Amino acid sequence: MADKLIIFDTTLRDGEQSPGASMTKDEKIRIAKQLERLKVDVIEAGFAAASPGDFESIKAISATIKDSIICSLSRANDRDIARAAEALQAAQRKRIHTFIATSPLHMEKKLRMSPDQVLEQAIQAVRYARNFTDDVEFSPEDGSRSEMDFLCRVIEAVIKEGATTINFADTVGYGVPELYGTMLKNLRERIPNSDKAIWSVHCHNDLGMAVANSLAGVMIGGARQIECTINGLGERAGNTALEEIVMAVRTRKDYFNLELGIDATQIVPASKLVSQITGFAVQPNKAVVGANAFAHASGIHQDGILKARDTYEIMRAEDVGWSANKIVLGKLSGRNAFKQRLDELGITLESEADVNGAFARFKELADRKSEIFDEDILALVSDEEQANDNEAYHFVSLAQHSETGEMPAAKVVFSNQGKEISCEGIGNGPVDAIVNAIESKVASGAELLLFSVNAITTGTQSQGEVTMRLSKSGRIVNGVGADPDIVVASAKAYLSALNKLESKSEKLNPQI
Ligand code: KIV
Ligand code: ZN
């Protein structure tokens, strides 16, 4: 019988470490529910000791998700581990994931600890974590740049203490498939009790090899768990992309011969949700989830596809959840039809008041846009959730004038803690004008690092989804806004980014 390959999703933890990708508790719950529909085996819901926000999110996810194992990251100390255990209390199945760096560089320069001290701390951490759960994962951080003899000592000792998963981390994306896979194989062969744990891979994509390294870890090294994120989101160049791993293993079952528990038809909805919530757009030529992944432009390819689909297609778009943009609702649809579509999309709004709020937004949108697609519904639910998040700033209205040869001008009305504020500004372009208008009242002084617009469905009727990334005093946040008018979407995105900048939650990065 084929072995099972465990899919460990870390979108909510390592993915959230991407600059600007921080998510609210409600956003994390929505993503966790989608990950459950996708049937991932393990959801790393966060790093409990990082901030009160992370703690609360893990707690809420633990109470909500029934099918996947819920995991919290923790550094190798009692305080972090106890915090992780507390956040995970309500989970039906829980895992504590503890880690400490083992490479000479990290031990000497970052931790300022001797190898013996690191070994002792790793042992203590696993021993302590076992008081709370039988499911304990240990990661030697920067494992791929660690010395073999030392790694063997540490891993043998933590398995003896009861670590049930060993995660060989390629923290800085330094690995090369053959070398990474072989190092893992050697570890498993040299460590006498290696068969007492499941081996896992965790690869970063700095050299574009995260997926290749992970698969080499499986095929050469014998790993049976892959840590990955939706859309490959993650620190710096990101992590191993879940969708690429799943479809590689499924499409090339002849080679990998591994079983997966994943429902692949939930991949594209998961990709869209994560992209929409974090503001990280998916590049069109991205494997599996990019808009062009199944588009055949050349005449020869189109001709071939029409004659026999498998001439140029190795996967079917519908198998990963692509559907032609379906008109799902329109101006005449009622509240029940709207609520039913929310249910079908797996969206549960907390109260009837929230459903009413989202329905009012839907009616308003349907007045301006005759065809409403699933993507529109996802965007308006996000808008409604932002409105309910006790955020300071809310968009109210906008008037904007642009004419060739004249300086664009904008008048924006927004509310701050319920009080309406009207402001005016001019700028080099319409977006500059609205930002200047808002800044004339808010004076945040934030720097705009990125501005991007994407059509969320096809056709000129589509809503534009704008992402604005702001930076202030070392903090980076992404704001997202959607509207059929892209200048309005820009104003919404700017206010959403300001709200995130104002939220006080300071977060610890586990790896610092
Ligand atoms: O990249 C890394 O080393 C990590 C560990 C915490 C597993 O994310
Ligand atoms: Zn990582």
Side-chain angles (χ1 to χ4, degrees):
M1 216 177 87
D3 283 357
K4 162 106 193 259
L5 181 63
I6 298 166
I7 297 296
F8 175 116
D9 181 278
T10 183
T11 307
L12 298 175
R13 197 280 295 171
D14 212 324
E16 205 201 16
Q17 286 172 223
S18 313
S22 70
M23 302 165 228
T24 64
K25 181 173 95 178
D26 287 342
E27 289 170 341
K28 287 187 177 179
I29 295 172
R30 275 177 72 199
I31 292 178
K33 285 183 181 165
Q34 180 57 28
L35 293 173
E36 188 179 39
R37 277 192 287 279
L38 182 59
K39 296 192 179 3
V40 304
D41 300 287
V42 187
I43 297 175
E44 188 162 53
F47 165 36
S51 69
D54 255 44
F55 177 84
E56 291 302 331
S57 301
I58 298 170
K59 208 169 150 189
I61 290 169
S62 299
T64 310
I65 301 299
K66 304 286 170 246
D67 298 339
S68 313
I69 296 172
I70 308 300
C71 171
S72 169
L73 184 70
S74 69
R75 289 168 299 185
N77 64 57
D78 289 4
R79 192 193 153 269
D80 272 26
I81 293 168
R83 195 82 179 135
E86 196 186 338
L88 291 168
Q89 233 161 27
Q92 304 215 332
R93 288 186 298 156
K94 50 175 137 302
R95 175 177 297 185
I96 294 177
H97 175 191
T98 186
F99 75 99
I100 190 162
T102 49
S103 66
L105 190 63
H106 278 225
M107 290 192 290
E108 192 190 320
K109 299 278 193 290
K110 184 181 87 167
L111 299 175
R112 301 210 169 93
M113 286 168 75
S114 70
D116 282 344
Q117 286 171 319
V118 167
L119 171 66
E120 193 46 37
Q121 198 162 321
I123 292 173
Q124 293 301 336
V126 172
R127 184 178 298 159
Y128 187 58
R130 281 296 305 240
N131 292 321
F132 303 101
T133 171
D134 292 343
D135 190 345
V136 174
E137 173 166 331
F138 174 79
S139 294
E141 189 195 3
D142 207 18
S144 59
R145 291 194 300 170
S146 302
E147 281 167 1
M148 208 52 191
D149 288 349
F150 182 59
L151 268 183
C152 287
R153 273 176 71 206
V154 174
I155 295 173
E156 182 180 352
V158 294
I159 295 177
K160 211 152 134 208
E161 286 303 330
T164 41
T165 301
I166 299 296
N167 180 42
F168 184 42
D170 185 26
T171 305
V172 291
Y174 183 73
V176 172
E178 198 181 340
L179 301 182
Y180 178 74
T182 306
M183 193 167 172
L184 184 45
K185 177 173 185 273
N186 291 340
L187 283 171
R188 289 183 56 238
E189 281 170 3
R190 281 185 50 183
I191 296 173
N193 53 2
S194 67
D195 61 328
K196 303 274 183 304
I198 290 175
W199 288 70
S200 167
V201 285
H202 177 109
C203 299
H204 281 265
N205 204 30
D206 299 67
L207 295 173
M209 291 191 279
V211 169
N213 283 335
S214 299
L215 292 173
V218 170
M219 295 309 281
I220 305 174
R224 287 296 177 262
Q225 172 178 288
I226 295 189
E227 302 202 351
C228 45
T229 58
I230 303 291
N231 299 336
L233 197 69
E235 283 256 18
R236 308 180 307 278
N239 285 72
T240 300
L242 177 146
E243 59 279 2
E244 296 179 21
I245 291 293
V246 167
M247 291 319 288
V249 171
R250 259 185 75 152
T251 308
R252 296 305 310 269
K253 178 123 202 300
D254 58 316
Y255 174 69
F256 292 107
N257 191 27
L258 290 164
E259 290 300 334
L260 287 167
I262 297 291
D263 176 357
T265 61
Q266 293 297 330
I267 285 179
V268 169
S271 162
K272 290 193 174 185
L273 183 65
V274 169
S275 156
Q276 195 244 330
I277 284 177
T278 59
F280 276 71
V282 175
Q283 75 197 56
N285 58 332
K286 166 88 177 59
V288 185
V289 293
N292 290 354
F294 293 88
H296 297 273
S298 102
I300 295 174
H301 287 206
Q302 284 172 354
D303 181 54
I305 291 271
L306 289 175
K307 288 179 178 142
R309 199 172 174 153
D310 51 3
T311 48
Y312 287 103
E313 248 180 35
I314 56 167
M315 304 170 265
R316 295 188 318 170
E318 55 271 34
D319 289 350
V320 294
W322 281 109
S323 55
N325 289 160
K326 276 198 305 252
I327 305 166
V328 290
L329 296 171
K331 198 176 166 145
L332 299 176
S333 308
R335 190 179 177 284
N336 282 348
F338 175 71
K339 187 145 189 299
Q340 186 184 336
R341 196 59 205 154
L342 289 181
D343 289 344
E344 285 160 7
L345 288 170
I347 299 169
T348 328
L349 293 175
E350 251 168 44
S351 64
E352 282 304 298
D354 291 348
V355 177
N356 291 342
F359 184 61
R361 278 173 198 272
F362 158 72
K363 279 292 188 189
E364 194 200 316
L365 183 64
D367 269 342
R368 301 160 64 201
K369 186 174 183 291
S370 55
E371 302 166 337
I372 306 287
F373 301 99
D374 285 343
E375 289 80 353
D376 294 313
I377 297 177
L378 286 176
L380 71 83
V381 167
S382 283
D383 258 12
E384 183 59 21
E385 287 193 336
Q386 286 187 27
N388 290 341
D389 260 354
N390 294 328
E391 290 183 323
Y393 303 117
H394 292 291
F395 173 80
V396 177
S397 66
L398 180 148
Q400 192 272 320
H401 178 80
S402 295
E403 197 175 325
T404 312
E406 280 191 24
M407 197 121 191
K411 183 172 170 194
V412 185
V413 181
F414 64 95
S415 64
N416 183 4
Q417 314 286 3
K419 190 169 149 258
E420 278 200 9
I421 298 173
S422 177
C423 51
E424 293 182 22
I426 52 170
N428 289 335
V431 173
D432 194 31
I434 55 147
V435 169
N436 290 340
I438 296 171
E439 278 297 311
S440 71
K441 297 291 179 188
V442 173
S444 76
E447 187 190 351
L448 179 66
L449 298 183
L450 174 139
F451 171 82
S452 78
V453 192
N454 277 293
I456 65 177
T457 52
T458 50
T460 50
Q461 259 219 359
S462 166
Q463 292 199 79
E465 187 170 75
V466 171
T467 300
M468 288 216 190
R469 183 173 302 164
L470 298 185
S471 155
K472 189 181 170 188
S473 318
R475 258 187 100 190
I476 298 178
V477 295
N478 282 345
V480 181
D483 198 274
D485 177 334
I486 55 171
V487 184
V488 172
S490 305
K492 289 181 178 174
Y494 195 73
L495 292 169
S496 143
L498 288 179
N499 281 326
K500 290 193 175 169
L501 269 186
E502 291 215 345
S503 86
K504 297 281 174 292
S505 82
E506 278 313 319
K507 243 172 111 85
L508 261 179
N509 182 330
Q511 277 135 331
I512 292 174

